[in-house]
Amino acid sequence: MGDGADQGIFGATASSVSQYFTFVRSGDHGTQELDWDKGPEQVRKALGEALGARNVAFLLGAGCSSMMKDGAERGIATMAPLAAEFCGAAGAAAGGPAWALDASDLSCLAGHGLTLAGDYTRNLERLMETLHALRFVLSRSDDAGDVDEVAAIDGMIAKVQAFLWERCTAGAFASGDDQVLGLYESFYRRLVLRDRSLPRPWIFTTNYDLFSERAMDRLGLPYANGFSGVVERRFNPATFRYALAEQLDISNRKWSAVDGFVYLCKLHGSISWTEDDHGLFPIRETWPQTTPSKVMIFPTPAKQNSSLGSPYSDLFREFQSRIVREQSVLITMGYAFGDEHLNNIIYQALTIPTFRLIVFADPGLGGDIAKLRALADPRIWIIGGSGPPGGAPAHYFSTIVEHLLPRRPSDRIDDAVKLVLQTMAASSAAAAVPTDDD
């Protein structure tokens, strides 16, 4: 699920917030401490101008699908807690989760000098990289005994997939809690009224879940995700070259791009993807899936591998192609710059003078966030820190959507329509209640 940019990593908890957040422009020289009275309007104005760029793309990380509320996860935990849970359950006694690694699995890993410690406890994708690499080596071994080990490693990979499948399909969000889905709907609603003369926005995400698809389906917002077909939807990168237009004049064949259309690229795969033996287009999109065994999540054997196959090579190529164009803006949310492949592409884009990078993250973080801040580049903005009183930090997806993204006139119209529906529904229900006179 991306790099683990979760609510535990990104800054303070809601209980420790102050009335100020940070807007970094040009590094420390351009840092502003903004209050929550007038600060959001300044950010919305700045973002509104940035979103007017010719090419706009978003990178949504795991933090966007996670929402801790009242001590419970309402969405999907990010990679750090997921990895800790999976590794912590390893070697459990009989009766534990079906996806937990057992003693024989741990013995197999130990035979190759591996233990579930270090980076594996923070990022399951690192464990998957290791397992796939180990399987690759052993499957080419001439030692007959390695055949059994390959089967054991296949079993461990399947357990990781089963665990991620369970966490991405079960939980409060799958039992009627629409809080996270509602945030995604609000986010996509902000993108609807982009100027028709400008290219459509691109959404890149490292998440496996289906919040983006469900949100756009609910809004009736058409999107291209690289798949074509109806009964058998198969991956075909040519669909990213398609656009959606409406016919304005039948007699003169005049066309115009529709207001609402989005390109969606799931860089690490999806729980709705499977692979079969169809020649030209072997990747299918099917939901609901019947089993997690063939679910395509996370590019393997390694994201930096030059032989990275389709569809991942196509998706990474789209990411690079989109953000290295002139007058491009990339906005990252819930992403802690833990993916070297994506980071390298972003850093390449920074060599283009007209590129702008807007990062929602805790400005006080180390690692790549600190390196970006130290560049003191006016094209790099970092927004984050403490949230409004009683609210989540400024760099959390909920705060970004509710307070910092530019509001469109359509938002007020949507609110008015929702109020009408709620009021009229309540009136109708009251009118339907029988009285003593009936």
Side-chain angles (χ1 to χ4, degrees), residues 7 16 41 48 99 152 156 366:
Q7 299 179 5
S16 62
E41 181 57 34
W99 43 258
M156 284 186 269

Side-chain angles (χ1 to χ4, degrees), residues 108-320:
C108 178
L109 293 175
H112 297 280
L114 300 172
T115 60
L116 294 183
D119 200 26
Y120 300 143
T121 63
R122 297 184 293 273
N123 195 330
L124 278 180
E125 291 183 350
R126 301 290 84 77
L127 177 60
M128 293 172 73
E129 279 184 343
T130 299
L131 291 174
H132 277 276
L134 187 58
R135 183 178 65 177
F136 178 84
V137 172
L138 293 177
S139 65
R140 284 154 177 77
S141 171
D142 293 330
D143 190 341
D146 288 338
V147 174
D148 293 335
E149 288 207 330
V150 170
I153 294 170
D154 281 336
M156 284 186 269
I157 292 173
K159 288 180 178 180
V160 177
Q161 289 180 314
F163 170 71
L164 292 173
W165 165 275
E166 183 176 302
R167 291 296 171 267
C168 289
T169 58
F173 67 93
S175 305
D177 189 327
D178 284 346
Q179 294 182 76
V180 176
L181 181 58
L183 287 176
Y184 273 86
E185 288 184 36
S186 297
F187 168 73
Y188 282 106
R189 194 179 290 118
R190 301 287 200 276
L191 306 182
V192 170
L193 290 184
R194 180 167 165 79
D195 192 314
R196 289 190 179 194
S197 65
L198 297 174
R200 299 299 91 195
W202 284 71
I203 307 296
F204 298 93
T205 179
T206 57
N207 298 341
Y208 314 133
D209 59 66
L210 303 179
F211 283 124
S212 285
E213 293 92 331
R214 291 180 61 199
M216 288 189 280
D217 285 348
R218 285 195 176 189
L219 294 172
L221 180 63
Y223 58 95
N225 66 348
F227 288 79
S228 61
V230 177
V231 177
E232 287 198 10
R233 288 183 56 76
R234 294 185 178 276
F235 183 76
N236 179 0
T239 61
F240 286 129
R241 309 278 79 77
Y242 298 166
L244 190 66
E246 58 182 339
Q247 193 165 10
L248 300 180
D249 189 329
I250 297 178
S251 61
N252 294 324
R253 298 183 63 82
K254 290 183 178 179
W255 302 83
S256 177
V258 299
D259 284 333
F261 188 69
V262 172
Y263 293 95
L264 175 66
C265 279
K266 304 186 78 170
L267 297 166
H268 285 189
S270 174
I271 58 172
S272 63
W273 296 4
T274 60
E275 186 173 15
D276 59 24
D277 57 359
H278 188 80
L280 290 176
F281 304 108
I283 314 303
R284 291 185 59 183
E285 182 183 43
T286 306
W287 192 256
Q289 297 277 26
T290 56
T291 173
S293 62
K294 291 188 177 181
V295 168
M296 296 192 64
I297 50 177
F298 178 67
T300 54
K303 285 176 282 184
Q304 290 280 33
N305 194 313
S306 60
S307 63
L308 192 64
S310 181
Y312 303 110
S313 57
D314 301 294
L315 298 174
F316 283 121
R317 187 161 50 248
E318 288 295 343
F319 181 63
Q320 182 176 37

